[in-house]
Amino acid sequence: MKGNFFPDSRYDVAIIGSGLGSLAAASLLANRGLKVLVAERHYLPGGCCSIFRRNDFTFDSAVGMVFGFGNRGFNSHRFVFNEIGEDIDVIRHEALYSVTFGEKRIIFWPDLDRFISELGRHFPGYEDQLRKFYDYLADFYHNVIVADPVIVPPTEMKRSDSLKALLKHPVRQARMIRLLFRSTEELMSKFIDPKAEELYQFFDVLTSTYCYTTVKETPGVLAVTMFIDNHEGGGFYPSGSSQMIPNKLEKSIERNGGYMLYENRVDEILFEDGKAAGIKLEDGSEIGSNYVIYGGTVWNLYGGIIPKERIGPEKLKWVESLEPTFPAIVVYAAVDYSAVPIGTNPVEMFVEEFDEIAESDVTVYISSIDDPSICPEGTHVMSMIAPSKKKWPPRGTEQYKEMKKAETERVLKLVEKKFPKFRDSLKHLETATPLTIERYTLKNEGRVGGPKQSIGQELLKRLHARSEWKNLFICGDSTVMGMGTPAVTVSGIGAANLILRDLRMKEYSYREPEVERVHYLSEKKRKAVDLEKTALDRDTVPLISGSCQLCEIPGCKMKCPDGKDIRGVLRRLESGNFPGAKRRLLETKVSTDCADCPGYCEKSCRRLSFDDRSVPIKRLLSWLEKEVIR
């Protein structure tokens, strides 16, 4: 097994991957007292919901805004954090986002009436039609989708609960089923003149944003949730960066005795007597478990870690027939504060071509507008995501380097049209190609959304939480719920509930919390700390630990005589996971107290490449060694 960290040889549940679906399942199961292991090939949890740092600039890898934290609507994130008793601060968006659609800049206000008026202003003559359309959607949403709140995928509901819902609301259920097989375009045409070409193109933008499909492809039932739910619950940014969501879930898992195994890729799911019985890591070591949850893509499951002799030809044919979402390229930039005009929203979408989902579409996340603490004062960080439909050559080749350069320039030119001072104010620039995304997240060819949620492979025609193999369960964006952080979180809740059901333990069901664990902030204020002089306590240690750059090749660990996972310890401290940090620190302790060490870690700290002070590793770890953790 890689590294100096050794989990136990057997668990109740082994979970493959640390995306939000997997972490939701792991945290909920650990909260019920089950012994869980999460195996992740990366050194950070979260999958696409993670970060990296460059010279104190914190970049969200892919997730710059999340839904599902609101106290109304489809609030799966809020549900999980309240159930596991873990506090998290989130910053509420004043506007959800903005879309620049040709010459129109349309602001998505949380208040639905205000948003419809905004649409009416940009599409004169259609406001009454738009209002009738949204009235229908809102009525369906409130009286069918959330009339009886549930927090699990429909396919994972108990039969008795499904039957009760059917008998209680037969008309509602029939309407729901009909909208599974009708396109959003067909639904819209009942209210909006089909000749309103530009308006239909605008709604193409909306559906492609949420599920990478046009209105012709998108099932009507998804339009109900896509077009209404975000206005109900609102959009948020986690205080401290998107990494705080997986870090806080990890904290709950470790607090309840679970184990997070990083930098170890699972190569195979083990079976005994036809049942899933554990996992085999890439170095050949094996970990047994009573149950396995898989949180990756459908293609990596059936084309990878399930032995082919266990898969029927019809299933393989079905998997190969699934149409994926498009690959993405992400350009990350740090710029001077002046490059972002006053009035810019934290999420800005720019659309130039209206006939299809085009490479000229780009979404810009400027998370530092919400949370200025994620970059140095007087600067902004930007993550620019665009489709990249070209066939990429192998990484490292000259052809790859040339294409990466050309694709980066293409995205920069698109953004520069909207932010004229952008290029002149650049302080840092780097690009994640589709192959980079695949390398770090195992998303096939950098297709971040899994299979399209189009008619023909919608809802019931995707993977369910219960697989065809006993004791193997599935969550993530290839399953019924599909893509987006609230949806994959629901898939994790579903997988956890099925295991609890098999064990005849209490399942999770929707309820209002006794104690609210999600704390809404209107803004995040920067807190300055002196790395050398600030006294250490439970309030300042997370702030100081945030000066760690989370290096991919951590010189601190390589120079540590004991091989301590300093990066992992500091990341846990940053999110207030003191028990997990101490457990990780003591796991590798040999004989040297950090206070007595010559400090090789600090001398090799990458922070010294741009600052005259390293991360105060010795101070932080010495404090942690002495701190009584409860």
Side-chain angles (χ1 to χ4, degrees), residues 230-249:
N230 297 339
H231 295 280
E232 286 288 314
F236 302 87
Y237 184 73
S239 176
S241 83
S242 60
Q243 188 68 54
M244 283 299 151
I245 300 177
N247 282 4
K248 294 283 189 176
L249 293 172

Side-chain angles (χ1 to χ4, degrees), residues 321-333:
S321 73
L322 290 171
E323 184 182 1
T325 54
F326 55 76
I329 184 170
V330 190
V331 179
Y332 306 97

Side-chain angles (χ1 to χ4, degrees), residues 74-77 79 149-153 489-490 493-494 497 508-510:
F74 188 60
N75 50 12
S76 54
H77 292 310
F79 173 84
V150 293
I151 205 68
V152 296
T489 294
V490 169
I493 299 170
N497 264 6
Y508 289 93
S509 59
Y510 187 86

Side-chain angles (χ1 to χ4, degrees), residues 241-420:
S241 83
S242 60
Q243 188 68 54
M244 283 299 151
I245 300 177
N247 282 4
K248 294 283 189 176
L249 293 172
E250 172 191 58
K251 178 183 175 184
S252 175
I253 293 164
E254 294 184 330
R255 172 166 46 86
N256 286 302
Y259 195 94
M260 302 292 297
L261 179 65
Y262 292 107
E263 298 183 276
N264 278 273
R265 178 170 175 166
V266 175
D267 264 4
E268 186 179 331
I269 295 174
L270 301 175
F271 289 85
E272 289 180 7
D273 300 324
K275 304 176 184 178
I279 56 176
K280 182 177 181 180
L281 303 175
E282 59 186 335
D283 65 0
S285 54
E286 298 182 358
I287 297 174
S289 63
N290 299 330
Y291 298 93
V292 174
I293 297 177
Y294 171 79
T297 73
V298 60
W299 300 288
N300 289 336
L301 178 64
Y302 288 92
I305 63 175
I306 294 285
K308 286 191 175 180
E309 62 269 18
R310 294 187 177 276
I311 307 171
E314 288 300 315
K315 190 72 171 189
L316 283 174
K317 185 178 178 181
W318 171 77
V319 170
E320 292 168 358
S321 73
L322 290 171
E323 184 182 1
T325 54
F326 55 76
I329 184 170
V330 190
V331 179
Y332 306 97
V335 297
D336 186 79
Y337 191 87
S338 62
V340 180
I342 299 296
T344 300
N345 280 311
V347 183
E348 295 276 352
M349 302 177 189
F350 304 113
V351 180
E352 293 186 347
E353 299 177 41
F354 308 146
D355 292 335
E356 61 175 3
I357 300 171
E359 288 192 330
S360 59
D361 297 351
V362 59
T363 299
V364 182
Y365 295 95
I366 315 173
S367 301
S368 49
I369 293 177
D370 281 327
D371 187 348
S373 72
I374 63 175
C375 56
E377 191 168 0
T379 64
H380 277 302
V381 287
M382 307 170 74
S383 299
M384 298 158 275
I385 303 178
S388 183
K389 300 180 180 181
K390 299 176 177 64
K391 178 68 176 177
W392 282 78
R395 290 179 60 250
T397 62
E398 287 302 316
Q399 295 92 333
Y400 172 84
K401 294 175 183 177
E402 287 299 316
M403 183 176 287
K404 181 176 181 178
K405 182 179 179 181
E407 284 288 270
T408 300
E409 182 63 21
R410 175 178 69 81
V411 174
L412 293 183
K413 286 181 177 178
L414 290 170
V415 173
E416 200 171 14
K417 293 178 184 178
K418 312 301 177 182
F419 301 103

Side-chain angles (χ1 to χ4, degrees), residues 75-261:
N75 50 12
S76 54
H77 292 310
R78 175 177 175 250
F79 173 84
V80 170
F81 276 90
N82 283 325
E83 286 294 325
I84 64 177
E86 191 61 53
D87 292 288
I88 187 169
D89 294 336
V90 294
I91 301 159
R92 188 188 293 271
H93 286 273
E94 181 182 355
L96 300 176
Y97 50 88
S98 300
V99 173
T100 299
F101 182 71
E103 299 300 316
K104 309 177 192 293
R105 182 170 182 263
I106 302 168
I107 299 176
F108 280 66
W109 301 108
D111 181 81
L112 188 56
D113 284 337
R114 185 178 182 184
F115 173 62
I116 295 171
S117 295
E118 175 92 355
L119 288 181
R121 182 167 62 85
H122 289 286
F123 299 98
Y126 291 101
E127 183 169 345
D128 287 344
Q129 294 182 29
L130 285 163
R131 196 165 293 280
K132 288 176 182 177
F133 176 52
Y134 272 94
D135 283 347
Y136 172 84
L137 296 178
D139 177 75
F140 195 99
Y141 176 83
H142 289 293
N143 293 308
V144 180
I145 302 293
V146 295
D148 298 304
V150 293
I151 205 68
V152 296
T155 50
E156 273 54 84
M157 290 177 64
K158 289 181 179 179
R159 288 185 180 180
S160 56
D161 291 342
S162 298
L163 182 59
K164 286 178 185 176
L166 178 61
L167 294 176
K168 185 178 179 181
H169 306 295
V171 176
R172 289 180 186 173
Q173 298 301 317
R175 290 172 66 194
M176 174 94 75
I177 292 170
R178 282 199 300 271
L179 283 185
L180 279 174
F181 308 106
R182 296 177 62 191
S183 72
T184 296
E185 182 183 59
E186 187 180 354
L187 177 60
M188 285 178 61
S189 67
K190 291 178 59 179
F191 304 93
I192 299 174
D193 186 351
K195 295 179 182 179
E197 183 178 357
E198 188 183 27
L199 192 51
Y200 277 79
Q201 289 169 338
F202 172 73
F203 278 95
D204 274 340
V205 173
L206 301 195
T207 55
S208 67
T209 297
Y210 294 120
C211 60
Y212 300 87
T213 50
T214 65
V215 292
K216 284 183 170 67
E217 302 171 294
T218 308
V221 71
L222 290 182
V224 178
T225 52
M226 286 188 297
F227 297 163
I228 297 296
D229 186 73
N230 297 339
H231 295 280
E232 286 288 314
F236 302 87
Y237 184 73
S239 176
S241 83
S242 60
Q243 188 68 54
M244 283 299 151
I245 300 177
N247 282 4
K248 294 283 189 176
L249 293 172
E250 172 191 58
K251 178 183 175 184
S252 175
I253 293 164
E254 294 184 330
R255 172 166 46 86
N256 286 302
Y259 195 94
M260 302 292 297
L261 179 65

Side-chain angles (χ1 to χ4, degrees), residues 10-15 25-37 252-259 290-291 293 495-506 508:
R10 186 159 193 88
Y11 289 82
D12 293 322
V13 188
I15 300 169
S27 61
L28 292 170
L29 291 171
N31 190 55
R32 285 283 191 262
L34 297 182
K35 185 179 178 183
V36 303
L37 168 89
S252 175
I253 293 164
E254 294 184 330
R255 172 166 46 86
N256 286 302
Y259 195 94
N290 299 330
Y291 298 93
I293 297 177
N497 264 6
L498 288 182
I499 289 176
L500 295 173
R501 191 178 304 169
D502 283 1
L503 292 171
R504 300 184 183 279
M505 297 176 66
K506 183 181 179 182
Y508 289 93

